[in-house]
Amino acid sequence: LLSTSLVRNNMLRRTSTTAARAARNAGLARSAAKAAFSSTIARSRTSLTASGRVGAVSHKVAGSRTKMGPSASPTEISDELLEKLGKLSTQALVDGLWVMGWPPAQIEGARALAKGMKCVGRAVTVRFVPARPDIATDKPGGEISPEYEAFELCGPNSVIVMASVGPWESVGGDIKFLRLMQRKVGGLVTDGSVRDTDTMIGYGIPTFSFSTTAKQGPAAMQPWGCNEVITCGGVVVRPGDAIVGDQDGVVVVPAAAAQQVYDIAHSREVIEEIVKKQLEEEKCPPGKYYPFMSGKIKADSPLGKLLTTKGVKFYSTSTRASSPLAGLAGSALHRSSLPIGSMGLQRRHMSSVPATMKAAVIEETGPAEVMKVKEWPVPKIVDGQVLVKNEYAGINFIDTYHRSGLYARDLPFVGGQEGGGTIAQVTPKAAAMGFKEGDRVSYSILQTYSEFSAVPAGKLQPIPDGVGTDVATACVVQGMTAHYLTTDAHAQLIKPGEWMLIHGVGGGTCQWAAQMAKNLGYKVIGTTSKGKEAIGRATGCDELIVLNEAPGTSFEDYTSVDVTKKVMEITGGEGVKAVIDGIGKNTMDISIDSLARRGIFVSFGNASGAVPPFPVLRLIGKSAFVTRPKLLDYTETREAMLKRSDQIMGWIKDGKLKVSIDKVFPLDQAPEAHKYLEAGKSTGKVLYKI
């Protein structure tokens, strides 16, 4: 018995020693694996820095995981091609891949986290695997965890693609993805879900996921692979592939075929734009021209004949490309054959630019009816300009002065001087200033009542995120005018805390002016009609003088109340240091008589008619000043223009400036919009929807 007991004890000691030795060896193996992992990533970062593209980081942890084939495609997508792909719709890209014979490329379930999100970038991948205790133990931790290593490979031209183990499992949330915001990543795509939705949207990262969730990820899955070939939403993603996402979904464009896919997809968008324009003109069933298959348009078909009349050369094939890498000369529009005017195809990627456009044209001066909506040549752009596809055009009283002949213009001309939309073409000098196709911009030049406008790049005002194109368009003339009137036109003869009189605060420009004057610290007396009293009070005026309506006009009845008397009562007999007057003839005497000593009369409009001539001796009573300013002299440099625009946009985003869009007319109703404005019906900004 004693002998047996001794043998058993010796066996237990040997077993315990062996287990301890195995545990130590396993720990050393894990440490070595983690060190190897970190070394591999470091080499990849060095490669990325040196080459400018995503390197292959196909590693395996813990000796049993061996290095596989090259992960990243040997074909590199240039920044220029990447930008072009991002200007196309995902639908067009899917069509291009289909024509080439590639398998389905839309990541199932990946939808935009918020309205308006778009992304484009080269893929950096992360693969998750189901959670298991040994995997959680062996996975490199901390900063060298696969997902965090992938984050460090990302930048503005990258989209991180994360393959989840299930649609409702969380790939991360606010803390994890803070680093992606710091890296200014171009986008995040997953077939799983994300957490902390509001914060994610606030980060500004274009995010596409199956859904959102409150679940924690580590309980269900662990990140296991960095920059490997993965499957996400049923689609193979290779590091370096182009990832393009819009409101329709996310598409993977293989790097090896990116240029060919672009050629086909862009060709399709050109044709679709022509078809859409033709359907608008003919008002016929779409089936006459649509749908069509890229590369299979017959010359004798209605679409083939239409393209021929538009000067578009096209080729047809009887079958899809036999190989994904086959040449495309016979299956897509030839680059040099598209009708694009003087700028060449390389400068138009978003949509086709036709030879003619819809525009509101004045061929003779007179009442609103002289303005006719008709076909008009699309303007050609020269270097230093961009072509803007207008979404909105602003309507201002000065437009009615041009149309009526009060302010002379050479006939014929396209009306308007305020627009907003997206850039459709750029020139090298404009590109050098940082503008690119697809940018949202607003601007002020002559000729905006049209589908397209040629705009000097120096006149463009970028539209910030969070501000609608309609609001930004409304700012360009009325907002900028109100800004220079309240900040500089008075030549600083008024100081914060002193009184300013603003006529017509229930209307367009002076609604802005009253709010801005208050933001700048002035005390404001406003005038308005009874019908617009509520609007006038909403501007925050310290005192409001309410007058009777003047039916059929755009201004109040200034004979119904003794405005000068009211002003003197309010100011204790001193008068105001500045008057902002857009009414003109009917308020000239009121404005001058309401001035304080060394006050200034700022006359900027003629709603009731032009201010009549008067002797300068009229001003001697209070040593008064008078000025008749115009916007161009207060935005003479791009710096001056942007300084004003930035302050206005800042006020809007901070809620300190309310923009009232009163009415939006379709361009086809151009005369009706002018009549509406001239009849004094507007209670805010009036726009055309182009």
Side-chain angles (χ1 to χ4, degrees):
L1 289 172
L2 179 60
S3 176
T4 302
S5 177
L6 290 171
V7 169
R8 183 184 298 112
N9 289 339
N10 286 336
M11 290 178 64
L12 288 171
R13 283 195 295 271
R14 283 196 299 272
T15 301
S16 176
T17 301
T18 301
R21 186 181 298 114
R24 285 196 299 272
N25 290 342
L28 291 171
R30 281 194 295 272
S31 297
K34 292 180 181 180
F37 184 104
S38 182
S39 176
T40 301
I41 294 298
R43 288 195 300 273
S44 172
R45 285 181 181 169
T46 303
S47 172
L48 176 66
T49 304
S51 68
R53 74 175 180 91
V54 176
V57 189
S58 183
H59 58 272
K60 295 291 178 179
V61 175
S64 61
R65 301 174 66 197
T66 58
K67 182 174 174 66
M68 299 164 59
S71 294
S73 171
T75 303
E76 181 181 348
I77 300 176
S78 68
D79 289 348
E80 180 183 5
L81 178 56
L82 193 68
E83 184 178 353
K84 290 180 183 179
L85 290 167
K87 300 297 175 59
L88 297 176
S89 67
T90 51
Q91 180 271 330
L93 295 172
V94 166
D95 184 72
L97 287 160
W98 181 87
V99 169
M100 292 183 64
W102 285 81
Q106 180 172 351
I107 295 178
E108 295 296 330
R111 302 304 302 271
L113 190 62
K115 184 178 180 181
M117 284 186 168
K118 296 186 69 175
C119 75
V120 61
R122 301 180 192 88
V124 174
T125 65
V126 176
R127 178 171 61 91
F128 286 83
V129 297
R132 214 172 68 177
D134 58 330
I135 288 175
T137 301
D138 289 342
K139 178 188 75 68
E143 296 180 1
I144 62 170
S145 177
E147 58 193 327
Y148 298 139
E149 294 293 350
F151 288 3
E152 298 308 305
L153 299 178
C154 291
N157 283 337
S158 304
V159 172
I160 191 160
V161 184
M162 310 182 84
S164 176
V165 301
W168 297 106
E169 306 307 336
S170 170
V171 298
D174 57 350
I175 295 178
K176 182 183 291 186
F177 295 139
L178 175 64
R179 182 56 178 158
L180 289 180
M181 181 189 72
Q182 294 168 344
R183 300 287 299 176
K184 299 180 180 178
V185 69
L188 184 157
V189 174
T190 181
D191 52 0
S193 295
V194 296
R195 298 193 314 274
D196 307 308
T197 307
D198 291 341
T199 303
M200 289 292 295
I201 293 172
Y203 282 169
I205 301 171
T207 302
F208 296 78
S209 63
F210 177 83
S211 188
T212 58
T213 183
K215 296 168 67 175
Q216 295 283 338
M221 60 185 183
Q222 292 287 339
W224 191 250
C226 168
N227 240 22
E228 301 175 349
V229 176
I230 63 171
T231 301
C232 185
V235 177
V236 174
V237 184
R238 192 174 186 182
D241 286 347
I243 308 297
V244 181
D246 60 19
Q247 294 297 292
D248 291 335
V250 179
V251 173
V252 180
V253 180
Q259 182 62 63
Q260 296 95 322
V261 171
Y262 170 77
D263 290 339
I264 298 173
H266 179 246
S267 300
R268 182 178 183 88
E269 290 212 336
V270 170
I271 295 174
E272 285 191 349
E273 191 69 22
I274 292 171
V275 169
K276 190 186 301 181
K277 184 76 173 178
Q278 191 68 19
L279 292 174
E280 289 175 352
E281 293 178 0
E282 291 189 26
K283 296 179 173 59
C284 65
K288 182 175 180 179
Y289 304 109
Y290 188 87
F292 63 89
M293 292 186 181
S294 299
K296 293 187 177 183
I297 301 170
K298 296 180 179 179
D300 60 351
S301 67
L303 178 55
K305 293 177 181 178
L306 172 63
L307 296 178
T308 300
T309 62
K310 298 294 184 181
V312 178
K313 297 178 182 179
F314 60 95
Y315 302 89
S316 63
T317 60
S318 57
T319 59
R320 291 161 70 185
S322 59
S323 164
L325 299 181
L328 299 173
S331 64
L333 288 172
H334 192 274
R335 284 190 180 189
S336 61
S337 65
L338 296 171
I340 56 167
S342 62
M343 293 311 299
L345 178 62
Q346 290 77 5
R347 293 176 187 157
R348 189 185 77 226
H349 307 303
M350 288 190 63
S351 62
S352 67
V353 177
T356 62
M357 63 181 180
K358 189 183 297 184
V361 182
I362 294 92
E363 296 179 304
E364 59 177 330
T365 58
E369 288 78 10
V370 302
M371 189 163 47
K372 308 292 184 184
V373 178
K374 59 193 301 183
E375 286 297 308
W376 197 255
V378 171
K380 306 296 184 183
I381 57 176
V382 299
D383 202 8
Q385 292 183 321
V386 304
L387 190 69
V388 176
K389 182 173 175 58
N390 292 320
E391 186 178 353
Y392 292 95
I395 308 169
N396 299 282
F397 269 105
I398 193 170
D399 303 345
T400 70
Y401 304 158
H402 290 158
R403 187 214 69 226
S404 67
L406 178 63
Y407 292 177
R409 293 272 305 275
D410 292 335
L411 297 170
F413 64 88
V414 174
Q417 62 171 333
E418 185 177 47
T422 56
I423 296 177
Q425 287 182 349
V426 296
T427 57
K429 288 182 180 178
M433 294 175 64
F435 293 107
K436 62 183 184 300
E437 294 172 15
D439 285 351
R440 292 194 309 140
V441 292
S442 56
Y443 62 91
S444 177
I445 63 164
L446 297 176
Q447 185 189 300
T448 61
Y449 292 178
S450 56
E451 292 181 295
F452 294 93
S453 296
V455 187
K459 295 284 188 180
L460 297 172
Q461 299 177 27
I463 301 176
D465 292 340
V467 177
T469 304
D470 54 347
V471 171
T473 304
C475 292
V476 180
V477 172
Q478 288 189 344
M480 297 284 277
T481 296
H483 191 273
Y484 88 77
L485 289 173
T486 54
T487 58
D488 294 301
H490 49 63
Q492 281 64 56
L493 292 169
I494 180 173
K495 301 294 187 291
E498 295 181 327
W499 285 102
M500 176 183 287
L501 171 63
I502 304 177
H503 290 303
V505 295
T509 301
C510 288
Q511 272 192 59
W512 298 72
Q515 295 179 75
M516 291 180 185
K518 289 298 298 176
N519 285 339
L520 294 166
Y522 303 126
K523 294 190 292 185
V524 178
I525 302 170
T527 66
T528 191
S529 64
K530 291 178 179 177
K532 298 179 181 179
E533 181 178 354
I535 297 168
R537 294 200 182 283
T539 64
C541 290
D542 297 277
E543 298 286 346
L544 191 66
I545 301 174
V546 182
L547 302 98
N548 293 338
E549 307 279 350
T553 72
S554 61
F555 50 91
E556 301 78 18
D557 180 2
Y558 282 88
T559 65
S560 63
V561 174
D562 189 338
V563 175
T564 301
K565 181 180 178 181
K566 289 279 188 183
V567 169
M568 291 302 173
E569 289 174 355
I570 292 168
T571 61
E574 291 186 6
V576 296
K577 297 295 285 187
V579 179
I580 306 297
D581 187 344
I583 307 300
K585 178 181 177 181
N586 287 14
T587 50
M588 181 195 78
D589 290 332
I590 294 170
S591 296
I592 294 175
D593 292 342
S594 296
L595 288 173
R597 182 171 288 104
R598 299 189 66 198
I600 185 168
F601 168 33
V602 181
S603 174
F604 77 98
N606 312 297
S608 65
V611 173
F614 64 89
V616 70
L617 198 61
R618 172 77 187 276
L619 304 173
I620 196 173
K622 296 180 180 178
S623 298
F625 298 82
V626 63
T627 182
R628 183 41 172 105
K630 65 179 187 295
L631 177 59
L632 288 177
D633 290 329
Y634 288 85
T635 53
E636 71 278 15
T637 66
R638 178 163 178 76
E639 291 72 23
M641 179 188 72
L642 291 179
K643 182 179 179 181
R644 296 189 189 283
S645 176
D646 289 347
Q647 186 168 30
I648 294 170
M649 294 299 175
W651 280 335
I652 292 172
K653 294 181 76 171
D654 292 343
K656 295 179 180 179
L657 184 60
K658 306 298 183 184
V659 180
S660 172
I661 306 294
D662 172 40
K663 195 171 180 66
V664 179
F665 288 85
L667 185 60
D668 288 335
Q669 297 179 14
E672 285 71 19
H674 272 216
K675 291 177 185 177
Y676 182 83
L677 192 67
E678 291 176 300
K681 296 179 180 179
S682 67
T683 57
K685 186 64 181 180
V686 182
L687 299 170
Y688 286 125
K689 182 74 169 67
I690 308 298

